Amino acid sequence: MRHFAGFMAVTVAVVCGGAWIIARAVPGETISRSVWASAIAVIVVQAAAFSIAWMMRPVNVIAGWGMGMVIRFITLVLFGMFGVKALGLALQPALLSMAGFFFASTLIEPVFLKP
C-alpha cells in the first residue's frame, strides 16, 4: 500500500504540474480544458496500470508492466476516437498531453515496483 500511495503522490504531482505549466504557457480555454481532462484520465489509468503491475510482481513484473502499457495505449486510442469528441475537447492538445503525461509517469513507475 505504501508503494501505491507513493507512486500516486508522485504521479499526481508530475501530471498536475505538467498540466498547470502547459495551461499557463499556451493560451486558450479549449486547450486548457483538453490538457486538464487528459491529466485526470492519465491519473485514473495510471492507478489501474500500477495496481496490475503490482499484483503481477510476484509472478512476472514485466508481464504486469506490459499489460499496463497495453491499457495505456488502448486508453490513448479510445480517448482520441471517442473521448475528445464526447467532451468537446481539442484533439491535438488532448492527445499530445495525454501521451506526454503517460510517458513521464511511466518513467517513474519502476522505482516503485522494486521490492
Side-chain angles (χ1 to χ4, degrees):
M1 189 64 169
R2 191 178 86 236
H3 292 274
F4 180 78
F7 173 72
M8 287 311 299
V10 173
T11 298
V12 168
V14 167
V15 170
C16 288
W20 184 81
I21 290 170
I22 294 169
R24 295 288 170 244
V26 183
E29 178 65 29
T30 305
I31 293 172
S32 179
R33 279 189 332 110
S34 300
V35 170
W36 281 106
S38 294
I40 292 168
V42 165
I43 291 169
V44 171
V45 172
Q46 283 294 86
F50 184 81
S51 297
I52 290 170
W54 185 259
M55 288 186 299
M56 292 286 294
R57 198 174 60 105
V59 179
N60 188 348
V61 71
I62 298 300
W65 192 70
M67 288 171 57
M69 292 306 292
V70 169
I71 291 171
R72 291 175 188 102
F73 180 72
I74 290 171
T75 300
L76 186 65
V77 170
L78 292 177
F79 193 74
M81 290 175 67
F82 305 111
V84 170
K85 186 180 283 188
L87 298 173
L89 305 174
L91 181 66
Q92 292 86 357
L95 293 183
L96 287 173
S97 61
M98 180 175 273
F101 296 151
F102 272 143
F103 178 73
S105 55
T106 301
L107 291 177
I108 299 164
E109 194 172 23
V111 174
F112 292 95
L113 286 175
K114 291 180 182 177

